[in-house]
Amino acid sequence: MNNSQIRRRRRATARAVRIGMRLGLLVFTAYLTARLCRAGLEVIESRTGAPGGEIFILPLIILLIWTGWTARKEYTDLTKGAEDKHDFRRSNGIPYGSQRRSM
C-alpha cells in the first residue's frame, strides 16, 4: 500500500468521524429540545393561573434555530474564503510609500 492510499483512507476516516459527530450532535440536540418542550408543557398544564416564564420556551427554540442557521452561513463563508486567509490584506484607500506621489 502506498502513501497516497493511506492518506485517502485517513481522510475518509476523518470525514466519516466528522459526519458522525455532527449527526450525533444533531440527534442529541433534537432530543433535548423535545424534552424541554415536554417539560414546559407539563409546567403549563400543572399551573392554575396564568403561564409564567415557560411560555418563552418555544420562542427560545425558534431563536436558537435561527442563530444556528446564521452561524452556519457565517461558517461556510469563512471556509469558502480560506484560500485567501494567508494573503496579505491591504487597504486600497491608503497608499504605500512606493505608491505616494511627491508634491
Side-chain angles (χ1 to χ4, degrees):
M1 199 180 287
N2 59 14
N3 286 339
S4 63
Q5 290 175 340
I6 293 172
R7 275 189 248 140
R8 272 191 228 137
R9 284 191 181 176
R10 284 183 189 162
R11 286 183 196 150
T13 304
R15 189 174 199 206
V17 167
R18 189 171 41 233
I19 290 172
M21 292 288 285
R22 286 182 184 173
L23 286 176
L25 186 61
L26 176 70
V27 169
F28 184 65
T29 304
Y31 172 74
L32 289 180
T33 302
R35 291 280 304 219
L36 183 63
C37 284
R38 189 177 306 151
L41 288 175
E42 288 174 5
V43 170
I44 286 176
E45 290 173 355
S46 66
R47 282 188 181 262
T48 56
E54 66 273 358
I55 200 163
F56 293 109
I57 290 175
L58 289 176
L60 174 67
I61 291 171
I62 292 169
L63 180 66
L64 289 174
I65 290 171
W66 176 78
T67 303
W69 189 270
T70 305
R72 177 65 181 171
K73 284 183 190 176
E74 292 295 325
Y75 177 74
T76 54
D77 288 344
L78 182 68
T79 56
K80 186 171 38 171
E83 305 89 40
D84 301 330
K85 186 169 81 172
H86 298 292
D87 288 345
F88 182 76
R89 295 185 181 131
R90 59 184 124 179
S91 174
N92 292 333
I94 302 173
Y96 289 94
S98 62
Q99 298 172 343
R100 292 184 187 151
R101 289 184 273 171
S102 59
M103 296 186 154

